[in-house]
Amino acid sequence: MTTPCRLPVHWAVALAGMMLSAMALANDAHVLRYAAAHEATAQPLEIYGALDNDLMAPLLADFHARYPDIELTYRNLTTLTLYRRFLAEDEASADVVMSSAMPWQYQLANRGHAQALTTSAARQWPQASRWRHELFGFTFEPVVIVYRRDALEGATPPDSHETLLRLLTNERQRLKGRVVTYDPWRSGAGYTYATEDAHMSPRYWELVAALGGVEAALADTTGEMLDGLADGRYAVGYNLLGSYARDFVADHPQLEMVIPSDYALVTQRLVLIPKRARHPEAAKRFVDYLLSRQGQQVIRDKTPLGAVHTALQGEGTARDLRKTLGGAIHPIAIDPSLLATLDTLKRHSLLERWQREYTRLSESGP
């Protein structure tokens, strides 16, 4: 496990002070603000992000410590709200846009809403984690299975999609109502994972039927699933976001997190600089920081988001996961295939099949 970096005392004090300042100046719980050290030379920077404040704060604080004359505002929005707000504001409000909704971010870049970043860090960024030099994946977050040890006593725990299918089939009565996964109808993440699973596994539709057979609960967020697992309502959670699950599981010893050994989907948060950003220089400085070794070290040491930088190793990094899982790692590609998930007819077709398979066993009886 990687030892967290230790900041000099004066840095630690400065960071703590800026965190208090950020909270005090926020208009609501979804906004963080960091005032510039010198008002006369302040450079505004407006960031729209779909990432919880507690996960984003270490990055913002470290960046602001390095660039204290930047007056920083971070707005935490849901993925679809962020997308719609960005377009509704004629692209002229946000200087940086970051989101885990990979198809929607790709669509924005593909339609010409992003400008290029050509710094040294951007040019050296791994090809698999960027599109051109306009869209960058700066995290590496596996999609995981979480289960309760006590609830599966005597059964083989699920360490892959194949063993999960067997568990749901063999323990159907025992697990009825005690499994949870994303609702692909309501959740963008759930729909994206369903699309990728269908491509990866010839037995995926059997797994969906088995989920329906145990009357799996359908949730909108990983947080909902983790809460249900912690309080004992659920025994198994499927397709949770590992970056949220990792620390939660560490605090709940009755839970176990598993990265599937047969194939592991990996999602990345994508960041872009709008073509019409009002403060492009500050925006470029921030995105360059996210891609820098220093920014990526903060991601590795202070968050569970998973660093992408090829020079970094340790728990949760892309390098560590590739070394551990090898060919089983399957990052969701940042390419035109993402646009297919937004096609209305294809989306409707996949969701209709998902519903048919999910209800198949319940309609046919035990």
Side-chain angles (χ1 to χ4, degrees), residues 65-356:
R66 297 173 188 276
Y67 303 102
D69 282 335
I70 290 183
E71 185 179 307
L72 178 59
T73 301
Y74 174 73
R75 301 188 186 279
N76 177 20
L77 308 165
T78 65
T79 54
L80 290 182
T81 298
L82 181 154
Y83 174 80
R84 292 166 182 158
R85 180 169 174 173
F86 172 74
L87 293 177
E89 293 174 341
D90 197 25
E91 315 161 34
S93 291
D95 298 308
V96 174
V97 176
M98 53 173 59
S99 174
S100 58
M102 295 178 68
W104 285 268
Q105 286 289 90
Y106 184 89
Q107 185 185 70
L108 290 177
N110 188 60
R111 288 182 174 177
H113 295 301
Q115 60 178 283
L117 179 69
T118 56
T119 61
S120 176
R123 291 195 305 272
Q124 295 174 30
W125 202 242
Q127 181 67 45
S129 292
R130 65 177 171 87
W131 182 74
R132 298 179 179 173
H133 287 99
E134 299 173 16
L135 190 63
F136 300 90
F138 66 96
T139 66
F140 203 79
E141 304 171 57
V143 179
V144 304
I145 298 168
V146 177
Y147 65 88
R148 288 186 63 95
R149 294 188 184 90
D150 56 354
L152 297 187
E153 189 173 347
T156 301
D159 61 359
S160 68
H161 297 83
E162 191 72 25
T163 54
L164 176 62
L165 175 57
R166 284 203 298 270
L167 176 70
L168 298 179
T169 302
N170 296 338
E171 303 287 344
R172 181 175 174 184
Q173 292 304 317
R174 177 181 177 182
L175 292 176
K176 189 156 286 189
R178 301 208 63 208
V179 178
V180 64
T181 190
Y182 273 112
D183 184 339
W185 288 86
R186 297 196 309 263
S187 164
Y191 174 74
T192 301
Y193 302 157
T195 302
E196 294 293 324
D197 276 333
H199 289 156
M200 288 298 299
S201 172
R203 303 194 70 186
Y204 173 63
W205 296 113
E206 292 179 57
L207 179 57
V208 175
L211 288 166
V214 297
E215 300 175 7
L218 304 179
D220 291 350
T221 68
T222 288
E224 289 178 51
M225 293 190 260
L226 289 171
D227 288 342
L229 286 158
D231 66 24
R233 280 179 290 138
Y234 307 129
V236 180
Y238 170 59
N239 269 6
L240 289 77
L241 192 55
S243 54
Y244 285 88
R246 193 180 86 184
D247 286 353
F248 189 92
V249 167
D251 291 336
H252 295 79
Q254 73 273 30
L255 301 182
E256 183 77 23
M257 184 184 91
V258 174
I259 300 175
S261 60
D262 47 357
Y263 71 89
L265 298 179
V266 176
T267 188
Q268 298 186 78
R269 293 175 194 272
L270 303 182
V271 62
L272 61 84
I273 302 170
K275 184 162 284 186
R276 299 178 60 192
R278 289 180 297 176
H279 311 104
E281 293 309 311
K284 289 176 182 178
R285 187 167 289 176
F286 181 74
V287 176
D288 186 60
Y289 164 79
L290 289 181
L291 307 182
S292 71
R293 181 163 182 156
Q294 293 79 15
Q296 289 282 300
Q297 282 177 329
V298 173
I299 287 175
R300 181 192 66 183
D301 297 340
K302 303 293 185 181
T303 81
L305 297 171
V308 179
H309 200 291
T310 55
L312 298 179
Q313 56 187 332
E315 184 181 11
T317 62
R319 185 173 173 181
D320 181 70
L321 287 173
R322 286 194 169 100
K323 181 179 179 181
T324 303
L325 297 173
I329 284 289
H330 180 73
I332 298 172
I334 307 173
D335 64 22
S337 65
L338 288 170
L339 296 178
T341 66
L342 301 180
D343 181 88
T344 302
L345 291 177
K346 290 181 179 178
R347 180 181 176 87
H348 187 68
S349 176
L350 183 134
L351 289 174
E352 279 200 329
R353 181 168 185 188
W354 197 94
Q355 192 64 31
R356 284 198 309 272

